[in-house]
Amino acid sequence: MLPLNAKCARRACHRSTRKGNPSGENGFQGEWFHATGIAQIAHASGVAVGQIYRDFANKEAIVAEIVTRDLEEFLSEGGLCEAGAKGDAAAVHDWITRFVTCADPEGGRLVAEIMAEASRNQRIAEIVRTLHDGMRGKLTAALRVLAGPAAPSERIEQVAEMIHTVAAGVFQRRLTAVDQPSDAAIDGLMHCIDATIEELRAAP
C-alpha cells in the first residue's frame, strides 16, 4: 500500500469525523465508521474508488493502515526504538515523559473514534490490540535499559503496562481540555513512574 493513499485515507477520515453526524442521520449518530462509505472516502480524499479498492480490501484495512503508520511514525520519530537499541537511558526517560505528557494530541479525535469503533467491531478491536501489544513490547524492551539486567522481566512488563495506561488516560483528558491534566498532576504522575522504575533498579 502506498503511503500517499494512507495519508489520503487519514485526511478523509479526519474530514468525516469533523463533519460527524450530529443529527444522528441514518441512525448512526456519530458512528463515523459505519456512516462513511468507500465512495465518500474517495470523494473526500481525491482518490478514485477503484484505486482505493486496489489498495485496501475494506474500511477496516484503511483503519489498519492509518493506525499502523501513525504508531510506526510515533515510535520512530520519538526515538524510543533507537534509544533502547543504543542503551541511552536519558533518551528513553525523555520519551516516556513525552509519552505521558501528551502535550499535543494531534489527530486525537480520529484515534478516539477508532477506539470507540473497536468496542463494536471485532476486526478493529484485533487491530488495536495488536498495535497496543507492539507498543508495550517496544516500551518493555526500552525499560530494560532503565531497569538494569537484574530486574525481573515480569515486573518490567507490568511497569510498561502501567505507563501505557497512564498515558492513555492523559490522552483522553487532553481530547476535551488541552490544559488538563495540569502540569502539577503530570509531575505527580511522572514522580510515581520514576519511583517505580527506581524500584526496578533496586531489585535483587
Side-chain angles (χ1 to χ4, degrees):
M1 283 178 262
L2 300 175
L4 175 61
N5 287 339
K7 291 177 182 177
C8 288
R10 184 185 293 110
R11 184 167 66 248
C13 288
H14 272 300
R15 289 176 181 176
S16 174
T17 54
R18 281 202 299 271
K19 292 175 183 176
N21 266 321
S23 64
E25 232 173 49
N26 298 323
F28 292 128
Q29 194 160 357
E31 293 182 15
W32 66 274
F33 186 87
H34 295 297
T36 304
I38 293 293
Q40 289 171 279
I41 293 173
H43 176 75
S45 61
V47 178
V49 171
Q51 182 63 45
I52 289 180
Y53 274 118
R54 280 192 291 274
D55 291 324
F56 302 103
N58 46 43
K59 286 187 289 184
E60 284 91 344
I62 293 176
V63 173
E65 181 74 4
I66 291 170
V67 294
T68 298
R69 286 191 177 275
D70 279 353
L71 179 60
E72 289 174 352
E73 290 172 5
F74 176 62
L75 290 172
S76 61
E77 290 176 5
L80 177 66
C81 296
E82 182 179 0
K86 290 182 176 180
D88 188 337
V92 170
H93 186 270
D94 287 346
W95 186 92
I96 291 172
T97 301
R98 292 195 302 273
F99 183 45
V100 170
T101 302
C102 190
D104 182 21
E106 183 181 355
R109 185 174 179 184
L110 176 58
V111 174
E113 294 283 5
I114 290 172
M115 294 300 105
E117 183 60 28
S119 69
R120 298 183 290 261
N121 184 311
Q122 184 59 33
R123 172 60 181 141
I124 300 301
E126 291 170 359
I127 292 167
V128 170
R129 276 196 298 270
T130 297
L131 291 171
H132 281 181
D133 289 345
M135 163 71 83
R136 283 194 299 272
K138 290 178 173 61
L139 181 53
T140 298
L143 275 172
R144 173 63 70 182
V145 175
L146 297 179
S153 296
E154 182 179 357
R155 182 64 180 133
I156 292 178
E157 290 171 3
Q158 291 170 353
V159 174
E161 176 67 17
M162 180 191 78
I163 293 171
H164 193 179
T165 302
V166 168
V170 171
F171 171 78
Q172 291 294 333
R173 293 289 306 280
R174 297 284 196 213
L175 287 182
T176 54
V178 294
D179 59 342
Q180 296 295 325
S182 65
D183 290 345
I186 293 294
D187 288 344
L189 291 171
M190 283 308 304
H191 178 76
C192 292
I193 289 170
D194 289 341
T196 304
I197 292 173
E198 195 58 41
E199 289 176 6
L200 287 176
R201 288 200 193 99

